Amino acid sequence: MEFSRYVGRAQDGAKDLLLVIGGDEGLDDRVRQSADLVLSLSKMTLPHRLARVVLVEQLYRAFTILKGEPYHK
């Protein structure tokens, strides 16, 4: 729900979103410090391709919530 609110504020403000997925060693501190928001998909290390799928699913859910469709758990 919190992520959908963030996406909604960005959408309302016509703000571009740039999503970066770090590698197994994480991201350089400069990248993290320049970010408006830092998310964690899991405390576990995920394969890069799986992390992309999880992020796309969360974006789908965020837009579903913003459209007022029921949120299933």
Side-chain angles (χ1 to χ4, degrees):
M1 296 297 288
E2 184 179 341
F3 184 57
S4 68
R5 287 189 292 271
Y6 181 81
V7 170
R9 286 191 302 271
Q11 186 177 31
D12 291 345
K15 181 179 178 182
D16 292 333
L17 292 179
L18 172 66
L19 305 171
V20 178
I21 299 174
D24 58 347
E25 297 291 326
L27 292 169
D28 188 274
D29 285 339
R30 293 174 292 180
V31 174
R32 295 174 63 85
Q33 291 168 358
S34 67
D36 293 330
L37 175 69
V38 176
L39 295 172
S40 174
L41 298 177
S42 172
K43 290 184 179 186
M44 296 183 286
T45 301
L46 301 174
H48 198 78
R49 290 181 180 169
L50 179 58
R52 292 187 337 199
V53 171
V54 170
L55 183 56
V56 168
E57 169 66 14
Q58 293 308 302
L59 285 167
Y60 170 78
R61 287 177 182 256
F63 284 110
T64 299
I65 291 167
L66 291 172
K67 285 178 24 180
E69 295 180 10
Y71 177 77
H72 67 284
K73 294 182 180 185

